[in-house]
Each structure stands twice: as structure tokens, then as C-alpha cells.
């Protein structure tokens, strides 16, 4: 079955043509980094307007690249949660309109579940394009697995019993990992998006130069994350390095506007130490989730999964514990519509939505990414 996938949860406008094997015939992504860069983060109103401008050309281009026409489309899949409401509404409305005009089924999928599904090696351009340990991992499918999703808006661990059966094990209680990369990059004046910028600055830096906190919130049973304390620790470190009477009489410790990042190589050491702290936490929590579920397969997705140091450390972990590890190639880590090939699992099972399909800023909880209804 051939279907069109539409992704507009945040600041990437994306469309793909997929099949339920699953295969990706085309994947087109229009980023909005230029529009949000000067604000140091995504501005929801600007993102929504850019989706309006970009979506139709992106869909056209995905159809052209797959060498198919609208008449060939047998279903429409759309990320309807979680995300920015204004952004989601553009993609969802387009998906409904196309499904209605073509009289084909509509399926809404959870964006975070789709990030895990991107680990399916059949979606990659080449079987060795992403990280796959051992080399034949994922041959017979990627479920059951622990799914770790690390993105700009979310840091979550899932027990993924099957492609449509996800259970949340833990999530961030404050900032997401990617958000902390973006905020620290802004503080260090490294630009947006922060993840790749911190990674570049961390190259050649000493990751043990600064002692930064690793937070594991909750009791021994918790698999939650917290990154806001780490961000604040970097802020205090920058202020301390500046060493020129930042503590104001009003009790506000630092005037943020006056803070200046340290020059290289201290800047590189700080970036490397920060990156290592985030990676330490992600790797430890992933290990705990694997032990908790007893699964022997770890699938990692989301923009932060593109991070070279995280990939290296997860590879070490999986190899030492004898676990399967799947991490998609970079183009499938950051937001894209190819990962919505997940929708094929719903289409195959006849689990489709009607035109009342809603959107939500929060992820689906419980065993299914969303409440789907069977339709003949
Ligand atoms: O999954 P994604 O494209 O969008 C969301 O669903 O949020 O993730 C974007 C996030 C941004 O915070 C960006 O800074 C981060 O992924 N990111 C990285 C890297 N590439 C992108 N973080 C660390 N290292 C990278 N190489
Ligand atoms: Zn994402």
C-alpha cells in the first residue's frame, strides 16, 4: 500500500511517500532554521506561517521524487501529536483535505513513536547507513524494544512491545535534552540549532574540564530525566569565569544580558563537559530501562540521536552488554516524514481515523500511540 506522510509538528515542514513493507520512496524536508535562528529557539507563530507557505511545494516535491501522482496514493498519514498546536493544525488540515478529496483512509500517528520507528533499517537508504549492532539487527523487525526518544521537545523512554503498543517508562520533568543543547548554545553564543553547534565546539575540548551535575530525579524506580539544573550549572560556570562582580544588589545573581561566554579553548572545554553530562544521563537511563524491561534491543531516535558522542557511548554500552542497538542515519533522526511509515502498521490493521481526528500538544499515554478505530 502506497501512502503520503505529512509531518509539521514543530519547525520542519516534511512530506514522504512510503509503503507498508515498510519502504520510503521519497522524503522531503524544508527546515526553518534561518527563520528561528536569530531568536535562539522556535517561535510558534513563525513556524505555523512557514508551514502554510512550504507544505504544498514540499508535498509536490515528495510525489515527484517518488515518481507517483496523487491518484496513486492509497492513504494519508499525519503526525497529530505531540507538537506545537499551530504547526500541527497546518499538517492535519492538509492531510484531512487530501484524504477527503482522494477518498482514502486517514491515519494520525504519535510523533515520538515515529521517531522510534525510524530505527527500522528497511527505511534507510542503505542497510549500513545508521548504527546497527550486530550488523543484522532489525532484520526481522525492531520490536519488542526499549525506545529512547531524545529531541528538542521531548526526552522519553518507552517500552515498545510492538509497532502500535507503546508504554511510557519515563520522561523529562523539565527541559528536554535537545532544548538544553539549544539553551546552552544560546548562552555560549554558538547559534541555533544548538545541538550541532555544541557538538562542533566540543570537538577538541576536554570533557572532564568542568564538573557539572548529572540529575536522576525521582526514587530508585524512576526513569525520569531533568536537564534544567545542568543548564543552570553552565550559566553559573560562565558567570564565575567572567569574574567581574556579576552579583547584583537586587539579589538577581547575574544580568543575563551582560554574560559573555569564555573564549576558546575554555569555551570548547565547557561545551565538551556539558555534552558529556547530557550523554552520561541518557546512557545511564537507557541502561536502566533495558534492565527494567528485560528486552535485549535498544532503539534510539530524535534530533539528539544525531549526536556523535551519544552514538559512540550507546555503541559502547550495547557492545559491552550484548544488546542490539539501532540508531537511524542522521536524516532520519531529525524531524522528517519518512518515519511516519509507522502509519503503514495502522493501515495494514485497518486502524484508521475519521475526519474528526484531533491534535494534541502532549504525547499519547498508554499502550497505543492513539485511539484508533477499526474500519472495514
Ligand atoms: O527531533 P528534532 O528534529 O525535533 C523535535 O522533535 O524536537 O530534534 C531537534 C533537536 C534540537 O534541539 C537540536 O539542537 C537537536 O535536536 N540536535 C542535536 C544534534 N542535532 C540536532 N543535539 C545534539 N547533537 C546533535 N548533533
Ligand atoms: Zn521530533
Amino acid at each position: 500500500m502506497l501512502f503520503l506522510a505529512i509531518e509539521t509538528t514543530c519547525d520542519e515542514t516534511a512530506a514522504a511517500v512510503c509503503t507498508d513493507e515498510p519502504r520510503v520512496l521519497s522524503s522531503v524536508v524544508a527546515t526553518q532554521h534561518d527563520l528561528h535562528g536569530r531568536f535562539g529557539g522556535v517561535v510558534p507563530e513563525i513556524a505555523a506561517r512557514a508551514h502554510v507557505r512550504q507544505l504544498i511545494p514540499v508535498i509536490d516535491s515528495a510525489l515527484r521524487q517518488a515518481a507517483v501522482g496523487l491518484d496513486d496514493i492509497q492513504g494519508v498519514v499525519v503526525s497529530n501529536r505531540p507538537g506545537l498546536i499551530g504547526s500541527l493544525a497546518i499538517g492535519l488540515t492538509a492531510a484531512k483535505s487530501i484524504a477527503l478529496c482522494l477518498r482514502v483512509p486517514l491515519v494520525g500517528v504519535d510523533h515520538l513513536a515515529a521517531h522510534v520507528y525510524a530505527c527500522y533499517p528497511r527505511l534507510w537508504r542503505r542497510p549500513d547507513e545508521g548504527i546497527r549492532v550486530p550488523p543484522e539487527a532489525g532484520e526481522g523487525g525492531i520490536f519488542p524494544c526499549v525506545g529512547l526518544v531524545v529531541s528538542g521537545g521531548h526526552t522519553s523512554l518507552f517500552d515498545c512491545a510492538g509497532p502500535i503498543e507503546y508504554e511510557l517508562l519515563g520522561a523529562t520533568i523539565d527541559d528536554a535534552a535537545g532544548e538544553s543543547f539549544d539553551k546552552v548554545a544560546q548562552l555560549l553564543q554558538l547559534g541555533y540549532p544548538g545541538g550541532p553547534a555544541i557538538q562542533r565546539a566540543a570537538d577538541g575540548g576536554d570533557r572532564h574540564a568542568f564538573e557539572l551535575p548529572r540529575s536522576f530525579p525521582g526514587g530508585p524506580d524512576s526513569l525520569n530525566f531533568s536537564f534544567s539544573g545542568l543548564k543552570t550549572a553552565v550559566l553559573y560556570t560562565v558567570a564565575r569565569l567572567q569574574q567581574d562582580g556579576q552579583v547584583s544588589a537586587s539579589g538577581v545573581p547575574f544580568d543575563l544580558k551582560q554574560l559573555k561566554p569564555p573564549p576558546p579553548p575554555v569555551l570548547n572545554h565547557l561545551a565538551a563537559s556539558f555534552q558529556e553530562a547530557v550523554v552520561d544521563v541518557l546512557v545511564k537511563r537507557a541502561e536502566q530501562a533495558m534492565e527494567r524491561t528485560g528486552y535485549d534491543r535498544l532503539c534510539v531516535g530524535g534530533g539528539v540521536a544525531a549526536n556523535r558522542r551519544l552514538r559512540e557511548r550507546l555503541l559502547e554500552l550495547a557492545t559491552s552488554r550484548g544488546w542490539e542497538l539501532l540508531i537511524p542515519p542522521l536524516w532520519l533522526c531529525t524531524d522528517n516524514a519518512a518515519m511516519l511509515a509507522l502509519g503503514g502498521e495502522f493501515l495494514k490493521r485497518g486502524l484508521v481515523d475519521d475526519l474528526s481526528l484531533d491534535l494534541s500538544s502532549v504525547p499519547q499515554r498508554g499502550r497505543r500511540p492513539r485511539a484508533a478505530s477499526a474500519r472495514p
Side-chain angles (χ1 to χ4, degrees), residues 111 115 151-153 178-179 181-182 193-196 199 302-304 306-307 333-335:
H111 175 83
H115 268 306
S151 72
E179 188 181 356
F181 270 98
D182 294 335
Q199 179 177 291
V304 183
N307 184 270
C333 285
T334 47
D335 283 350

Side-chain angles (χ1 to χ4, degrees), residues 114-162:
H115 268 306
V116 175
Y117 202 74
C119 291
Y120 223 120
R122 270 189 230 162
L123 303 183
W124 308 355
R125 293 190 188 112
R126 295 188 324 271
D128 59 349
E129 199 186 16
I131 290 181
R132 201 174 173 194
V133 175
E136 67 279 10
E139 208 60 71
I142 63 166
F143 301 99
C145 69
V146 164
L148 169 65
V149 180
V150 263
S151 72
H154 299 272
T155 303
S156 309
L157 276 162
F158 295 96
D159 171 338
C160 309

